[in-house]
Amino acid sequence: QVQLVESGGGWVHPGGSLRLSCEASGRIFSINTMNWYRQGSGKERELVARIGRDGHRNYEDFVKGRFAIFRDNARNMVYLQMNSLQPEDTAVYYCNADIWDGRELDNVWGQGTQVTVSF
């Protein structure tokens, strides 16, 4: 059973920084695209950033210049460095990835980690 576990969420003042981590474990042959999504209270889940196995990155406009996504393929991990955080960034952040377990390609979600930005 492949799973993703996020960590690193918490509370921070506006303008502060947090780094989220996500580790994949289980029967893993390879991991394709790794993504970070978020869901604010009363809002739909939205894509924040994604990174391909080759390191190619895409960011949504609302985080460009503030957030950075990177991955460690040897450790099956993906990170989200979040700088200049604002109250509107408050949300549950989810890790998501397409993982090949040797038999099939699974789209896997983590359980989420809460990020709260406030005074």
Side-chain angles (χ1 to χ4, degrees), residues 13-15 43 84-91 115-119:
H13 282 302
K43 299 180 180 179
S84 301
L85 283 161
Q86 300 301 316
E88 53 266 34
D89 295 314
T90 295
V115 171
T116 302
V117 186
S118 68
F119 288 104

Side-chain angles (χ1 to χ4, degrees), residues 87-107:
E88 53 266 34
D89 295 314
T90 295
V92 178
Y93 283 72
Y94 296 92
C95 178
N96 168 259
D98 292 322
I99 300 176
W100 172 250
D101 68 1
R103 295 175 298 176
E104 59 186 6
L105 188 65
D106 296 320
N107 185 258

Side-chain angles (χ1 to χ4, degrees), residues 45-91:
R45 192 171 298 187
E46 60 183 358
L47 178 67
V48 174
R50 63 179 16 151
I51 183 168
R53 184 169 180 80
D54 61 358
H56 183 74
R57 298 169 174 86
N58 290 102
Y59 298 95
E60 293 300 300
D61 287 345
F62 53 80
V63 301
K64 282 182 179 177
R66 300 188 300 126
F67 290 12
I69 187 171
F70 52 103
R71 64 190 285 173
D72 184 336
N73 289 333
R75 298 183 177 183
N76 293 327
M77 295 194 70
V78 63
Y79 306 91
L80 186 68
Q81 176 66 42
M82 305 185 294
N83 300 322
S84 301
L85 283 161
Q86 300 301 316
E88 53 266 34
D89 295 314
T90 295

